[in-house]
Amino acid sequence: MILNKLKCGKITIEVSSLIPEKILNLLWHNGICASKIVKVNITTVRFEVPFVSYKDVELLVKKANGKMRVVGKSGIIVLLLSIKRKISLCVGGGVFLIILYLLSNYIWAINIETKNNLSPFEVRQELSLAGIKPGIKKSDINVYDIEKKMEDLNSEVMWVRARIEGSTLSIVVAEKVNPPNTDKTSCNQVVAKMDGEVKRAFTFSGNPAVVPGDIVKKGDVLILPIQGKEGFEKEVNPSGTIIANTFYEKLMEIQISGEKLERTGKKDMDIYLNFWNRKIYLKKAINDFKSYDKIEETGGLFNEVIYFERTGQNINLNRDDTIKESSEKLQASLQKTLTNDAKIIEKKISVEDISEAKIRIKVIFTVEQDIAENIS
């Protein structure tokens, strides 16, 4: 009885044929009840038939050389069939939500924010000793205990804030700020910001403490905070420009002959999930490379290990051209760190043979620049 009720349903069909009335007669002749008949146009008619008669209607329409299409459905059986088609999607969605809920009960990342005196590595090491690491249940973590332990870790720590944010444990460490060191210099002075040989001195206020030719060290006073001749001095805020020759040394090692391993551009990778130090691989690398670079990207739920293929490439570089190109590269890298007013006036190149195939290029640059720094 219940099964018969479930099978109750209606399908609305449009049939196209040269003589649609012929198809209706054919349906009635075969005991199929067609209701709510509407003539759409001269060759098309629309009607409803029971759900269980659909296959029979389809055979009869084909037999009469007609065309049909379903334009509407109704009834419990239609709903059940729709659910049946999507049951795998529903089950998959339910499993996904369950897994998501289970995973949300664990900590999968630890974010640590420190300043200068304490490194994130030290904090992470201390947490690891206390059993706090990715994969631990949130219910096993007491943030107040963590804060207390971290405050006792280092005398420079002023306070610690630990909070659980989603699946991440965030730890912020505030450190004590020590007063600046004022032993070497006092306020209102102009000092050298680096070592150099003074070439020219220009003062806007204050008397110069150096003359051209003097060798100064970082922190030496360049301009005194007084102005005027002896007996008529007055205190001023010193300012000016001290042009000096400064020196920079840069090194580069180059292989000029033999064989060198270089990346070919091919790569392969492992992709895996990390649960409680257990690896569940989503993709496993074939890794048939004879030589390769290996880079691991870990720390979260999804982790990767990337393999870059390397093959031997024969190298035969011209020694003189290589030295010239390398010195130009070193000069270009130095210029990126200099100010706009700095000027490279000289460079001395020396070459050392490390082996038969490799050389070390050392370049000493002489840079003319302003070394004055105001301390206020």
Side-chain angles (χ1 to χ4, degrees), residues 47-218:
F47 54 85
E48 280 188 357
V49 294
F51 181 84
V52 293
S53 302
Y54 175 73
K55 292 293 184 182
D56 296 333
V57 173
E58 188 177 27
L59 291 174
L60 292 173
V61 171
K62 285 183 179 179
K63 186 176 179 181
N65 297 322
K67 293 182 180 179
M68 61 174 282
R69 69 185 183 96
V70 177
V71 296
K73 301 176 184 177
S74 64
I76 297 176
I77 187 66
V78 176
L79 178 61
L80 293 177
L81 287 175
S82 177
I83 293 173
K84 180 181 177 182
R85 293 190 192 99
K86 298 177 181 178
I87 190 165
S88 60
L89 181 63
C90 295
V91 171
V95 171
F96 173 76
L97 292 174
I98 292 171
I99 293 174
L100 193 64
Y101 171 74
L102 293 175
L103 293 180
S104 67
N105 292 318
Y106 294 85
I107 292 295
W108 297 113
I110 300 177
N111 183 35
I112 300 172
E113 185 179 329
T114 62
K115 297 297 182 182
N116 301 319
N117 300 317
L118 195 63
S119 68
F121 175 77
E122 293 177 84
V123 177
R124 199 175 297 276
Q125 205 171 32
E126 188 70 18
L127 290 172
S128 181
L129 292 174
I132 308 298
K133 58 182 67 176
I136 188 173
K137 290 185 71 173
K138 292 180 182 179
S139 58
D140 295 337
I141 296 177
N142 188 322
V143 292
Y144 302 108
D145 287 346
I146 293 174
E147 292 174 354
K148 185 67 172 65
K149 289 178 181 178
M150 293 299 104
E151 288 174 2
D152 298 337
L153 176 63
N154 193 301
S155 60
E156 297 296 329
V157 175
M158 185 165 62
W159 56 264
V160 177
R161 180 174 66 83
R163 294 292 183 270
I164 296 175
E165 300 171 353
S167 294
T168 301
L169 176 62
S170 296
I171 296 178
V172 179
V173 180
E175 301 172 10
K176 296 176 183 177
V177 179
N178 296 321
N181 187 1
T182 58
D183 293 340
K184 290 186 177 180
T185 57
S186 60
C187 295
N188 300 323
Q189 285 188 330
V190 176
V191 300
K193 61 184 177 183
M194 63 182 70
D195 300 349
E197 179 187 356
V198 177
K199 304 300 291 183
R200 297 181 296 279
F202 306 96
T203 60
F204 305 117
S205 61
N207 291 332
V210 294
V211 295
D214 285 351
I215 303 297
V216 297
K217 298 291 184 180
K218 181 179 179 180

Side-chain angles (χ1 to χ4, degrees), residues 272 274 296-300 302-305:
Y272 62 90
N274 192 349
E296 296 189 19
E297 299 179 358
T298 60
F302 291 92
N303 302 275
E304 293 182 352
V305 181

Side-chain angles (χ1 to χ4, degrees), residues 202-235:
F202 306 96
T203 60
F204 305 117
S205 61
N207 291 332
V210 294
V211 295
D214 285 351
I215 303 297
V216 297
K217 298 291 184 180
K218 181 179 179 180
D220 289 350
V221 176
L222 300 179
I223 302 176
L224 300 173
I226 56 173
Q227 187 167 314
K229 295 182 179 180
E230 186 177 353
F232 299 94
E233 298 98 339
K234 64 176 181 178
E235 289 191 6

